[in-house]
Amino acid sequence: MVSKFSRAIVPVTMAIVLVAAVAHVASSNSGGGFGGHMGHRGMRGGMGMLGVPLPLLLKTANLTDAQKQQIHTIFENRRASRKAEYQQLKAAKEQIAAKFTSTGTVATSDLATPVQQITNLRTQMANEQVQDAIAIRNVLTPAQLAQISATKAKLDSIHAEMKALFAQSSSDSTPTE
């Protein structure tokens, strides 16, 4: 008889190994040298609007040195404003935390200004991310766009498999005794 722990941990372990394998394949197909510097400063490595970090997708595009430089310039041009935006976000969040942890009463209206600042900054940052993604897309050839599309489709498929494994794991963990 298999324990509940084993039924829960095996799918999770398989999912982690699968993600690691995909990351390894993506990095080994990159032709080397791209993504580390730009990946951390560019789109912040988050899942973003594409569902996959843009630097991960770009690793599979076999970029030329000239394209790498163009994309690097796009990321670097946004770097200073992005840093200022993150500082503004942090300040607004700190205002909320200070109000929330104060000893007096707190009303929604007390938090309206920093909440609005956060909303405006996130909208601005999302719009800038779209602009940067389009600028980067315009650097790519049709063949590279096709490669990125294929990579995204594979990653989406893997994500769906992982989601199914977790759903199966959740349903298997209910006691049947």
Side-chain angles (χ1 to χ4, degrees):
M1 183 164 136
V2 179
S3 72
K4 290 180 186 178
F5 176 78
S6 294
R7 284 192 309 241
I9 200 68
V10 169
V12 170
T13 303
M14 289 175 57
I16 290 170
V17 169
L18 192 58
V19 168
V22 169
H24 174 72
V25 169
S27 66
S28 65
N29 287 339
S30 70
F34 180 75
H37 176 69
M38 286 186 268
H40 295 294
R41 291 189 178 160
M43 296 293 181
R44 289 304 219 188
M47 294 305 276
M49 70 195 96
L50 302 174
V52 178
L54 182 59
L56 178 64
L57 291 176
L58 291 173
K59 280 182 170 271
T60 65
N62 298 318
L63 299 171
T64 66
D65 288 340
Q67 288 173 313
K68 289 176 186 179
Q69 185 56 47
Q70 285 178 286
I71 292 170
H72 175 76
T73 300
I74 292 166
F75 284 135
E76 284 299 312
N77 287 343
R78 188 66 73 189
R79 184 176 171 203
S81 65
R82 187 58 46 138
K83 185 176 179 181
E85 291 161 348
Y86 279 112
Q87 289 171 343
Q88 291 170 28
L89 274 174
K90 183 179 177 184
K93 289 177 182 180
E94 287 172 354
Q95 286 178 349
I96 292 171
K99 281 283 189 182
F100 186 72
T101 58
S102 68
T103 57
T105 59
V106 178
T108 305
S109 60
D110 297 330
L111 304 175
T113 299
V115 167
Q116 189 59 48
Q117 289 172 340
I118 291 170
T119 301
N120 292 344
L121 283 165
R122 287 190 176 156
T123 299
Q124 177 183 335
M125 292 167 75
N127 288 332
E128 291 169 353
Q129 190 175 22
V130 168
Q131 292 169 359
D132 291 347
I134 290 171
I136 290 166
R137 187 183 190 283
N138 290 337
V139 169
L140 304 175
T141 67
Q144 289 169 325
L145 290 170
Q147 178 60 45
I148 286 174
S149 178
T151 300
K152 185 174 181 334
K154 287 177 189 176
L155 290 171
D156 288 346
S157 173
I158 290 168
H159 183 258
E161 287 181 42
M162 289 171 52
K163 192 173 182 179
L165 281 172
F166 287 123
Q168 180 183 6
S169 174
S170 295
S171 66
D172 287 347
S173 64
T174 56
T176 57
E177 298 172 29

